[in-house]
Amino acid sequence: MSTTQIATPASHWDIFCTVVDNYGDIGVTWRLAKQLAAEYHIKVNLWVDDLHSFSHILPNLIATKRQQTFNGVNIFQWNNPLDIEYQAGSVIIEAFACELPEQVKTIIEQRHKQSQSLAPHWLNLEYLSAEDWVDGCHGLPSTQVNGVKKWFYFPGFNRKTGGLICEQHLFKEREQWQSDLNNKMTLFKQLGLTGINHHDTVISVFSYETEALTALIRLWQTSTTAIHVLIPKGRSLTSIAPFIPGETNNLIPGQHVKLGNLTLHILPMTDQTGFDRLLWSCDFNIVRGEDSFLRAQWAAKPFIWHIYPQEDDYHLVKLQAFMKIYCDNLAAEISTAWCKLNLAFNQDDQHAVVNHWQQLNSVILPLQQHALNWPNNALDDADLASRLVQFVKNS
């Protein structure tokens, strides 16, 4: 069969993803694909253009193999043009406005002309945002020149949006993990981390380059109690270069550097389950992007969101929109302390981020309680996958 031949619609779903910023986009689509397969028994074909980056969060993935299956999901190498025979499924998702291959768009158009019932549901899965305009744009169709409809699916924080990615049993698993301190100590040992005691403060860092992190490290090394910062090889290391003897590229997982009462630990890469457990095991998490940002919320621990910088500081608008929702029912002194810390970190303001971190100590207990309550409130009775399945049925 040629790649443009019309066929009876198959029941599977296709998800197309281009890898941006190494792990963000693929992190979201991989979680969604796994959940659709596991909880809804949907056959999912995940097309990815960069299997090498994907393999960092799926270690058993073979970057040179064009087709393989993990967690019930078929993973395909997406070359442009497609060099693997393509059969369209009942749903086609282009993640984050990636451009579908011409062969795929041709099949969609041909099926639409033959019969609208044969045309796949075509959706664009957008980035997560807490901005008000998302409510009005979620679920809107965009009619293409050829008459085919593409639907815009916006994740979000209320029932007017597409919801948030969250596996059915995630919160229960997290609660069981956090109820036993031995779990985190065992994890730290498995990661090759040494010298961490039960009562020590542990902070995970998965950020972009920023002098705000450099300033915090200077502060933390003067702490009166032990602090451990867990940091993977990558962009965050640029911010700790002044404290590392030699080149940061020469650092290896398990290596640590002691600076006063602060110890910097270099983390190995891990799969998504391991990353979730890492966030569950830390007292505070600094995260970036979208996938890690949401998993930090599900970890039920205080966090800083280092949002991806955009022109004209538009990323700060997105940050402010989320902070407004996150702090909706918080007392003013707690909300102010946390919001100012996040803003200072995202503005690379070294002086302000140090001051606001110190002020956070006075509200850390109620902030921790808020972080614990937030996941159930944010999920709002339905996760993204369940809303997505229902949206396809109704559209």
Side-chain angles (χ1 to χ4, degrees), residues 10-65:
S11 60
H12 72 267
W13 289 25
D14 288 300
I15 302 177
F16 287 84
C17 175
T18 55
V19 177
V20 180
D21 187 33
N22 291 329
Y23 317 115
D25 294 20
I26 186 56
V28 172
T29 51
W30 177 227
R31 289 193 193 273
L32 176 60
K34 287 187 294 182
Q35 187 179 1
L36 290 171
E39 297 180 13
Y40 296 91
H41 309 292
I42 295 172
K43 181 181 178 182
V44 180
N45 293 341
L46 177 59
W47 299 81
V48 183
D49 70 336
D50 182 359
L51 295 184
H52 176 72
S53 291
F54 189 4
S55 67
H56 289 147
I57 60 172
L58 180 56
N60 291 330
L61 184 72
I62 302 173
T64 57
K65 191 174 182 180

Coordinates of all heavy atoms in Angstrom, one line a residue, residues 10-65:
A10 N -8.5 3.2 10.7 CA -8.0 2.2 11.8 C -8.4 2.9 13.1 O -8.7 4.0 13.2 CB -6.5 2.0 11.7
S11 N -8.4 2.0 14.2 CA -8.9 2.5 15.5 C -7.8 3.2 16.3 O -8.0 3.8 17.3 CB -9.4 1.3 16.3 OG -8.4 0.3 16.5
H12 N -6.5 3.1 15.8 CA -5.4 3.6 16.6 C -5.4 5.1 16.5 O -6.0 5.8 15.7 CB -4.1 3.0 16.2 CG -3.6 3.5 14.8 ND1 -3.9 2.9 13.6 CD2 -2.9 4.6 14.5 CE1 -3.4 3.6 12.6 NE2 -2.7 4.6 13.1
W13 N -4.6 5.7 17.5 CA -4.4 7.2 17.5 C -2.9 7.4 17.1 O -2.0 6.6 17.5 CB -4.6 7.8 18.9 CG -6.0 7.8 19.3 CD1 -7.0 7.1 18.9 CD2 -6.5 8.7 20.3 NE1 -8.2 7.4 19.6 CE2 -7.9 8.4 20.4 CE3 -6.0 9.7 21.1 CZ2 -8.7 9.1 21.3 CZ3 -6.8 10.4 22.0 CH2 -8.2 10.1 22.1
D14 N -2.7 8.5 16.3 CA -1.3 8.9 16.0 C -1.0 10.2 16.7 O -1.8 11.1 16.7 CB -1.2 9.2 14.5 CG -1.2 7.9 13.6 OD1 -0.3 7.0 13.9 OD2 -2.1 7.7 12.8
I15 N 0.2 10.2 17.3 CA 0.7 11.5 18.0 C 2.0 11.8 17.3 O 2.9 11.0 17.3 CB 0.8 11.3 19.5 CG1 -0.5 10.9 20.1 CG2 1.3 12.6 20.1 CD1 -0.4 10.6 21.6
F16 N 2.1 13.0 16.8 CA 3.4 13.5 16.2 C 4.0 14.5 17.1 O 3.3 15.5 17.6 CB 3.1 14.1 14.8 CG 2.7 13.1 13.8 CD1 1.5 12.6 13.6 CD2 3.7 12.6 12.9 CE1 1.1 11.7 12.6 CE2 3.4 11.7 11.9 CZ 2.1 11.2 11.8
C17 N 5.3 14.4 17.3 CA 6.0 15.3 18.2 C 7.4 15.6 17.7 O 8.2 14.7 17.3 CB 6.2 14.6 19.6 SG 7.2 15.6 20.8
T18 N 7.7 16.9 17.6 CA 9.1 17.3 17.4 C 9.7 17.6 18.7 O 9.1 18.3 19.5 CB 9.2 18.5 16.4 OG1 8.4 19.6 17.0 CG2 8.6 18.2 15.1
V19 N 10.9 17.2 18.9 CA 11.6 17.4 20.2 C 12.2 18.8 20.3 O 13.0 19.2 19.5 CB 12.7 16.3 20.4 CG1 13.4 16.6 21.8 CG2 12.1 14.9 20.4
V20 N 11.7 19.6 21.2 CA 12.2 20.9 21.5 C 12.8 21.0 22.9 O 12.2 20.4 23.8 CB 11.1 22.0 21.3 CG1 11.6 23.4 21.5 CG2 10.4 21.8 19.9
D21 N 13.9 21.7 23.0 CA 14.5 21.9 24.4 C 14.7 20.5 25.0 O 14.6 20.3 26.2 CB 13.6 22.7 25.3 CG 14.2 23.1 26.6 OD1 15.4 23.2 26.6 OD2 13.5 23.1 27.6
N22 N 15.1 19.6 24.2 CA 15.5 18.2 24.7 C 14.4 17.4 25.2 O 14.2 16.3 24.7 CB 16.7 18.3 25.7 CG 18.0 18.8 25.1 OD1 18.2 18.6 23.9 ND2 18.8 19.5 25.9
Y23 N 13.7 17.8 26.3 CA 12.8 16.8 26.9 C 11.4 17.3 27.1 O 10.5 16.6 27.5 CB 13.4 16.4 28.3 CG 14.9 16.2 28.3 CD1 15.8 17.0 28.9 CD2 15.4 15.1 27.5 CE1 17.2 16.7 28.9 CE2 16.8 14.9 27.4 CZ 17.6 15.7 28.1 OH 19.0 15.5 28.1
G24 N 11.2 18.6 27.0 CA 9.9 19.2 27.3 C 8.7 18.6 26.5 O 7.8 18.0 27.1
D25 N 8.7 18.8 25.2 CA 7.6 18.4 24.4 C 7.5 16.8 24.4 O 6.4 16.3 24.5 CB 7.8 18.9 22.9 CG 7.7 20.4 22.8 OD1 7.9 21.0 23.9 OD2 7.5 20.9 21.8
I26 N 8.6 16.1 24.2 CA 8.5 14.7 24.2 C 8.1 14.2 25.6 O 7.4 13.1 25.7 CB 9.8 14.1 23.8 CG1 9.7 12.5 23.6 CG2 11.0 14.4 24.7 CD1 8.6 12.1 22.7
G27 N 8.5 14.9 26.7 CA 8.1 14.4 28.0 C 6.5 14.4 28.1 O 6.0 13.5 28.7
V28 N 5.9 15.5 27.6 CA 4.4 15.6 27.7 C 3.8 14.5 26.9 O 2.9 13.8 27.3 CB 4.0 17.0 27.3 CG1 2.4 17.0 27.2 CG2 4.5 18.0 28.3
T29 N 4.2 14.4 25.6 CA 3.5 13.5 24.7 C 3.8 12.0 25.1 O 2.9 11.2 24.9 CB 4.0 13.7 23.2 OG1 5.4 13.7 23.2 CG2 3.5 15.0 22.7
W30 N 4.9 11.7 25.6 CA 5.2 10.3 26.1 C 4.3 10.0 27.2 O 3.8 8.9 27.3 CB 6.7 10.2 26.4 CG 7.1 8.8 27.0 CD1 7.9 8.6 28.0 CD2 6.8 7.5 26.4 NE1 8.1 7.3 28.2 CE2 7.4 6.6 27.3 CE3 6.1 7.1 25.3 CZ2 7.4 5.2 27.0 CZ3 6.0 5.7 25.1 CH2 6.6 4.8 26.0
R31 N 4.1 10.9 28.2 CA 3.2 10.6 29.3 C 1.8 10.4 28.8 O 1.1 9.5 29.2 CB 3.3 11.8 30.3 CG 4.6 11.8 31.1 CD 4.4 12.8 32.3 NE 5.7 13.1 32.9 CZ 6.3 12.4 33.9 NH1 5.7 11.3 34.3 NH2 7.4 12.9 34.4
L32 N 1.4 11.3 27.9 CA 0.0 11.1 27.4 C -0.2 9.8 26.6 O -1.2 9.1 26.8 CB -0.3 12.3 26.4 CG -1.7 12.3 25.7 CD1 -2.8 12.2 26.7 CD2 -1.8 13.5 24.8
A33 N 0.8 9.5 25.8 CA 0.7 8.2 25.0 C 0.6 7.0 25.9 O -0.2 6.1 25.7 CB 1.9 8.1 24.1
K34 N 1.4 7.0 26.9 CA 1.4 5.9 27.9 C 0.1 5.8 28.6 O -0.4 4.7 28.8 CB 2.6 6.0 28.9 CG 4.0 5.8 28.4 CD 5.0 5.8 29.5 CE 5.1 7.2 30.1 NZ 6.2 7.2 31.2
Q35 N -0.5 6.9 29.0 CA -1.7 6.9 29.8 C -2.9 6.5 28.9 O -3.7 5.7 29.3 CB -2.0 8.3 30.3 CG -3.2 8.3 31.3 CD -3.5 9.6 31.9 OE1 -2.8 10.6 31.6 NE2 -4.5 9.7 32.7
L36 N -2.9 6.9 27.6 CA -4.0 6.5 26.7 C -3.9 5.0 26.5 O -5.0 4.3 26.5 CB -3.8 7.2 25.4 CG -4.2 8.7 25.4 CD1 -3.8 9.4 24.1 CD2 -5.6 9.0 25.7
A37 N -2.7 4.4 26.4 CA -2.6 3.0 26.2 C -3.0 2.2 27.4 O -3.7 1.2 27.3 CB -1.2 2.7 25.7
A38 N -2.5 2.7 28.6 CA -2.7 1.9 29.8 C -4.1 2.0 30.4 O -4.7 1.0 30.8 CB -1.7 2.4 30.9
E39 N -4.7 3.2 30.3 CA -5.9 3.4 31.0 C -7.1 3.4 30.1 O -8.3 3.1 30.6 CB -5.9 4.7 31.8 CG -4.8 4.8 32.9 CD -4.8 6.1 33.6 OE1 -5.7 6.9 33.5 OE2 -3.8 6.3 34.4
Y40 N -6.9 3.6 28.8 CA -8.0 3.6 27.9 C -7.9 2.5 26.8 O -8.7 2.4 25.9 CB -8.2 5.0 27.3 CG -8.6 6.0 28.3 CD1 -7.6 6.7 29.0 CD2 -9.9 6.2 28.7 CE1 -7.9 7.6 30.0 CE2 -10.2 7.1 29.7 CZ -9.2 7.8 30.3 OH -9.5 8.7 31.3
H41 N -6.8 1.7 26.9 CA -6.6 0.6 26.0 C -6.7 1.1 24.5 O -7.2 0.4 23.6 CB -7.6 -0.5 26.2 CG -7.7 -0.9 27.7 ND1 -6.6 -1.5 28.3 CD2 -8.6 -0.7 28.6 CE1 -7.0 -1.7 29.6 NE2 -8.2 -1.2 29.8
I42 N -6.1 2.3 24.3 CA -6.1 2.8 22.9 C -4.7 2.4 22.3 O -3.7 2.6 23.0 CB -6.3 4.3 22.9 CG1 -7.7 4.7 23.4 CG2 -6.0 4.9 21.5 CD1 -7.9 6.2 23.6
K43 N -4.7 1.9 21.1 CA -3.5 1.7 20.4 C -2.9 3.0 19.9 O -3.5 3.7 19.2 CB -3.7 0.7 19.2 CG -2.4 0.4 18.5 CD -2.7 -0.5 17.3 CE -1.4 -0.8 16.5 NZ -1.6 -1.7 15.3
V44 N -1.7 3.4 20.4 CA -1.1 4.7 20.1 C 0.2 4.5 19.3 O 1.1 3.7 19.7 CB -0.8 5.5 21.4 CG1 -0.2 6.8 21.1 CG2 -2.1 5.6 22.2
N45 N 0.3 5.2 18.2 CA 1.5 5.3 17.5 C 2.1 6.7 17.7 O 1.5 7.7 17.4 CB 1.3 5.1 16.0 CG 0.8 3.7 15.6 OD1 1.0 2.8 16.4 ND2 0.2 3.6 14.4
L46 N 3.3 6.7 18.3 CA 4.0 8.0 18.6 C 5.1 8.2 17.6 O 6.1 7.4 17.6 CB 4.5 7.9 20.1 CG 5.3 9.1 20.6 CD1 4.4 10.4 20.5 CD2 5.8 8.9 22.0
W47 N 5.0 9.3 16.9 CA 6.0 9.6 15.9 C 6.9 10.7 16.4 O 6.4 11.8 16.7 CB 5.3 10.1 14.6 CG 4.4 9.0 13.9 CD1 3.2 8.7 14.3 CD2 4.8 8.2 12.8 NE1 2.7 7.7 13.5 CE2 3.7 7.4 12.6 CE3 5.9 8.0 12.0 CZ2 3.6 6.4 11.6 CZ3 5.9 7.1 11.0 CH2 4.8 6.3 10.8
V48 N 8.2 10.5 16.5 CA 9.2 11.4 17.1 C 10.3 11.6 16.2 O 10.9 10.7 15.6 CB 9.7 10.8 18.5 CG1 10.6 11.8 19.2 CG2 8.5 10.5 19.4
D49 N 10.7 12.9 16.1 CA 11.8 13.2 15.1 C 13.2 13.1 15.7 O 14.2 13.1 14.9 CB 11.6 14.7 14.6 CG 11.9 15.7 15.6 OD1 11.7 15.4 16.8 OD2 12.2 16.9 15.2
D50 N 13.3 13.0 17.0 CA 14.6 12.9 17.6 C 14.6 11.8 18.7 O 14.4 12.1 19.9 CB 15.0 14.3 18.3 CG 16.4 14.3 18.9 OD1 17.1 13.2 18.9 OD2 16.8 15.3 19.4
L51 N 14.9 10.6 18.3 CA 14.9 9.5 19.2 C 16.1 9.5 20.2 O 16.0 8.9 21.2 CB 14.9 8.1 18.4 CG 13.7 7.9 17.6 CD1 13.8 6.5 16.9 CD2 12.4 8.0 18.4
H52 N 17.2 10.2 19.8 CA 18.3 10.3 20.7 C 18.0 11.0 21.9 O 18.2 10.6 23.0 CB 19.5 10.9 20.0 CG 20.7 11.1 20.8 ND1 21.5 10.1 21.2 CD2 21.2 12.3 21.4 CE1 22.5 10.6 22.0 NE2 22.3 11.9 22.1
S53 N 17.4 12.2 21.8 CA 16.9 13.0 23.0 C 15.9 12.2 23.7 O 15.9 12.2 25.0 CB 16.4 14.3 22.6 OG 17.4 15.1 22.1
F54 N 15.0 11.6 23.0 CA 13.9 10.8 23.7 C 14.5 9.7 24.5 O 14.0 9.4 25.6 CB 13.0 10.2 22.6 CG 11.7 9.5 23.0 CD1 11.4 9.5 24.4 CD2 10.9 8.9 22.1 CE1 10.2 8.9 24.8 CE2 9.7 8.2 22.5 CZ 9.4 8.3 23.9
S55 N 15.6 9.1 24.1 CA 16.2 8.0 24.8 C 16.7 8.4 26.2 O 16.9 7.5 27.1 CB 17.3 7.3 24.0 OG 18.4 8.2 23.9
H56 N 16.9 9.7 26.4 CA 17.4 10.1 27.7 C 16.3 9.9 28.8 O 16.7 9.7 30.0 CB 17.8 11.6 27.7 CG 19.0 11.9 26.9 ND1 19.2 13.0 26.2 CD2 20.1 11.1 26.7 CE1 20.4 12.9 25.6 NE2 21.0 11.8 25.9
I57 N 15.0 10.0 28.4 CA 14.0 9.7 29.4 C 13.3 8.4 29.2 O 12.5 8.0 30.0 CB 12.9 10.8 29.4 CG1 12.2 10.9 28.0 CG2 13.5 12.2 29.7 CD1 11.0 11.8 27.9
L58 N 13.8 7.7 28.2 CA 13.4 6.3 28.0 C 14.6 5.5 27.6 O 14.9 5.2 26.5 CB 12.3 6.2 26.8 CG 11.8 4.8 26.5 CD1 11.2 4.1 27.7 CD2 10.8 4.9 25.3
P59 N 15.4 5.1 28.7 CA 16.7 4.6 28.5 C 16.8 3.3 27.6 O 17.8 3.1 26.9 CB 17.2 4.3 29.9 CG 16.4 5.2 30.8 CD 15.1 5.3 30.1
N60 N 15.8 2.5 27.6 CA 15.8 1.3 26.7 C 15.5 1.5 25.3 O 15.6 0.6 24.5 CB 14.8 0.3 27.3 CG 15.2 -0.3 28.6 OD1 16.4 -0.4 28.9 ND2 14.3 -0.6 29.5
L61 N 15.1 2.8 24.9 CA 14.9 3.1 23.5 C 16.2 3.1 22.7 O 17.2 3.6 23.2 CB 14.2 4.5 23.4 CG 13.8 5.0 22.1 CD1 12.6 4.2 21.6 CD2 13.5 6.5 22.1
I62 N 16.1 2.4 21.6 CA 17.3 2.4 20.7 C 17.2 3.5 19.7 O 16.2 3.5 18.8 CB 17.4 1.0 20.0 CG1 17.4 -0.1 21.0 CG2 18.6 1.0 19.0 CD1 17.4 -1.5 20.4
A63 N 18.0 4.5 19.7 CA 17.9 5.7 18.9 C 18.0 5.4 17.4 O 17.5 6.3 16.6 CB 18.9 6.7 19.4
T64 N 18.6 4.3 17.0 CA 18.8 4.1 15.6 C 17.8 3.1 15.0 O 17.8 2.8 13.9 CB 20.2 3.4 15.4 OG1 20.3 2.3 16.2 CG2 21.3 4.4 15.8
K65 N 16.8 2.7 15.9 CA 15.8 1.8 15.4 C 14.6 2.5 15.0 O 14.0 3.3 15.8 CB 15.5 0.7 16.5 CG 14.7 -0.4 16.1 CD 14.5 -1.5 17.2 CE 13.8 -2.7 16.8 NZ 13.6 -3.7 17.9

